[in-house]
Amino acid sequence: MTALLSTPSRRIAFALAVSLLLHGLFIWGPSIRLPQSRPDLPPLMAKLQPLPAAPAKPRRAVKKQSRPAPAPVPEVQETEPPAVPEDIPLPASSPAVAEATASAVEQAPTVTATPKQADRPLLPHRAQLTFVVNKGTGNFQIGEAVHTLEIDDGHYVLQSVTRTVGVARLFKNYQLTQYSSGSYTPQEGLQPEEFFEERAEQAGVVHTAVEFDRTAQRAHFSQGLEAALPADTQDILSIMYQFPPLADTETVSISVANSRKIERYQFEITPNEDIDTPLGRLQTVHLRKMHQPNEEGLEIWLAREYRLFPVKIRIVERNGDVSGEIIITDIRVEDAPQEETKNAVN
């Protein structure tokens, strides 16, 4: 065997002979089945079947409608529209509306430029307004003010307490208490009968007051003085809640009393002015006291959305500088049962 495979040519010939022998046995020899570890799977059968037909939709009977023949288009003749007089209103879209419009035009009152007094808003049963007091026109807080109003059985009590707070209190401990009381009716509004003021500083406490005798039309001051009492007189506190709500006018004059004297104030009115406050942007009536040089000034903003309550007050010194601003931060109101309010400025 070794001699037969001694040369390369012999080894190649032997390999070819063995390969031919194996192929012959595989093709023509008996079939040999190898052992299986699991049973044979049944053969897969592929069969094509048609898809099921979709159910037929029921057919609805369609009723044909006869289409009317188009109406003949009338011939349009070009003519000029009739002239409408300028002093006659155009007709309304229907006879009924036209008749109502004509009736309303005939009954409408003639509008004149004469100043008129608008309705005054009803004041609540109780109210509390809180303000921040800033130095100048900046946001540097030096104090706070709280106004309280109570109305019961035709009598009112209005009080204001202003005091320094924070760092300002370390330099100046100051408190101003103002008290106004009198009668109240929805028609006449606040009618002061007494005004009281107390100033508390390091130097001491000062009390001043004034009484209003409306029957005798006299004002009696605590210093022993007397003065004539105009019918429209308000004190320096009640004026903020009782300012005459006038419409269609630019200025208004009113008598204002403090605890020492009565002065005639002339205010310039700006009926619609929006201002920014801690309560948001408010639509206000701006009142600016008209004053001569070297006189103190005063500006008040009344909120139209809040019964003309004061929401901003500016104090102007004799030299024209703004010494401080009082700005609203909170409003709390308690109404009597079935009480209604309305806007007092047109």
Side-chain angles (χ1 to χ4, degrees), residues 10 12 21 28 41 56 61 71 95 111 173 183 198 228 245 247 251 253 267 271:
R10 292 180 178 180
I12 293 173
L21 178 62
W28 294 287
L41 294 175
V111 179
N173 189 359
S183 63
E198 177 185 276
T251 61
S253 180
F267 282 93

Side-chain angles (χ1 to χ4, degrees), residues 68-143:
V73 179
E75 184 178 356
V76 179
Q77 296 181 357
E78 296 183 359
T79 58
E80 295 184 359
V84 179
E86 296 181 356
D87 56 346
I88 298 179
L90 293 177
S93 58
S94 66
V97 176
E99 182 179 354
T101 304
S103 176
V105 172
E106 292 176 0
Q107 297 178 4
T110 303
V111 179
T112 62
T114 304
K116 63 178 182 179
Q117 183 167 354
D119 293 334
R120 180 178 288 112
L122 294 177
L123 291 176
H125 182 54
R126 289 187 180 89
Q128 176 178 296
L129 283 73
T130 305
F131 302 83
V132 60
V133 181
N134 294 332
K135 180 176 177 58
T137 57
N139 295 322
F140 180 66
Q141 181 180 0
I142 59 175

Side-chain angles (χ1 to χ4, degrees), residues 208-222:
T208 54
V210 56
E211 293 183 357
F212 304 106
D213 187 346
R214 297 195 177 271
T215 302
Q217 299 181 352
R218 301 293 294 177
H220 304 277
F221 297 92
S222 58

Side-chain angles (χ1 to χ4, degrees), residues 15 41 52 58 62 77 99 126 156 174 228 232 237 255 267 273 293 313 335:
L41 294 175
V62 179
Q77 296 181 357
E99 182 179 354
R126 289 187 180 89
Y156 83 90
Y174 173 83
D232 64 344
L237 181 58
S255 298
F267 282 93
E273 182 174 320
I313 305 163
D335 276 319

Side-chain angles (χ1 to χ4, degrees), residues 56-73:
K57 295 183 179 180
R59 301 182 62 182
R60 293 182 300 177
V62 179
K63 184 179 180 180
K64 296 184 178 181
Q65 298 180 354
S66 58
R67 180 176 300 178
V73 179

